[in-house]
Amino acid sequence: MTEEPAGRIRVLVADDQQVVRGGLVLLIGMLDGIEVVGAARDGAEAVELAERLRPDVVLMDLNMPVLDGVSATAVLRKKVPDSAVLVLTTYADDDSVFPALRAGALGYLTKDAEDGEVETAIRQVYGGRTWLDPVVQARLVAALRPEDGSPPAGQAPGPGAPPDGLTTREAEVLTLIAQGLSNAQICDRLVVGQATVKTHINRIFAKIGATDRAQAVGYAYRNNLVDGG
């Protein structure tokens, strides 16, 4: 039997719509270093296949019969904890986002995401990092932000020197991240190259102790680097 290439990311797709499920299988099958090992029609089948196939990533729809995506995610976190769950669904409302994240999903994308975003999200959650759609990021920070727009207790309000040794430019980049801009959009806004933006982000993460963009967004709001109004 032919051995699988080293480091290949094994993905299980779970979606009740055959057209969507088939499209995802085709898309992921074209990605370098990533393969689909199974496809499930509902949450119960997703759990069953995950237990048997032990995929690296489960691409999970939420609105499915028999067992919905949130319930399936919760079961997977207990039975197959090494499989990272990446939600890919139509819904980005609070009643969908928060239960899925609480159940243990490591990533959350809406189905209008571009092909490149899906690939990036798969690679990120495979590496143990969080990946959230910008719309989802905005909902999370809105939920964390006090209703009066003031910074959380214990945080210094008002303008001043950036915290934790951040430079003025790094604070600016962090603010743009918190506003949901991608690296490419930050490049356009600041008129700098991709390498420069990546260097800024790496330094920002090191200084604030963040491992992904979601943590960086939370940090920006906690430290009053984004307008809460």
Side-chain angles (χ1 to χ4, degrees):
M1 185 174 66
T2 304
E3 293 184 359
E4 294 177 1
R8 200 166 182 82
I9 303 174
R10 304 171 71 252
V11 177
L12 171 66
V13 175
D15 197 295
D16 65 317
Q17 297 182 8
Q18 183 176 353
V19 173
V20 175
R21 189 171 65 249
L24 289 171
V25 169
L26 288 175
L27 166 65
I28 296 169
M30 295 172 61
L31 301 177
D32 187 35
I34 303 176
E35 68 173 336
V36 176
V37 296
R41 295 164 293 183
D42 55 62
E45 188 176 21
V47 172
E48 177 187 349
L49 289 177
E51 287 188 279
R52 177 159 52 89
L53 300 172
R54 302 285 165 170
D56 299 307
V57 176
V58 179
L59 200 58
M60 182 78 74
D61 187 24
L62 292 184
N63 188 18
M64 293 188 294
V66 185
L67 189 67
D68 63 75
V70 170
S71 300
T73 296
V75 173
L76 284 176
R77 298 315 301 145
K78 294 180 180 179
K79 292 189 173 183
V80 196
D82 290 336
S83 295
V85 175
L86 170 60
V87 170
L88 181 63
T89 185
T90 305
Y91 310 100
D93 57 279
D94 292 356
D95 290 337
S96 300
V97 172
F98 299 124
L101 296 178
R102 282 194 293 266
L106 202 53
Y108 198 112
L109 284 176
T110 55
K111 287 183 178 177
D112 59 357
E114 297 180 357
D115 295 352
E117 291 179 89
V118 176
E119 178 180 1
T120 299
I122 289 174
R123 296 188 188 280
Q124 289 291 311
V125 300
Y126 170 68
R129 295 177 291 273
T130 303
W131 185 266
L132 300 177
D133 184 283
V135 174
V136 175
Q137 286 190 24
R139 287 192 174 277
L140 282 177
V141 297
L144 291 171
R145 185 191 310 154
E147 291 184 2
D148 62 1
S150 62
Q155 299 296 334
D164 292 321
L166 292 173
T167 66
T168 301
R169 176 62 95 178
E170 288 166 352
E172 185 178 10
V173 171
L174 180 54
T175 298
L176 296 176
I177 291 174
Q179 291 173 350
L181 273 66
S182 66
N183 284 12
Q185 290 171 324
I186 294 173
C187 289
D188 292 341
R189 180 73 63 87
L190 301 180
V191 195
V192 296
Q194 287 272 4
T196 300
V197 170
K198 289 180 179 179
T199 297
H200 284 315
I201 292 175
N202 287 338
R203 290 175 177 170
I204 290 167
F205 281 20
K207 289 180 179 180
I208 69 176
T211 59
D212 54 53
R213 294 175 89 92
Q215 291 180 3
V217 169
Y219 176 94
Y221 274 92
R222 288 194 303 272
N223 287 274
N224 206 29
L225 295 176
V226 183
D227 183 8

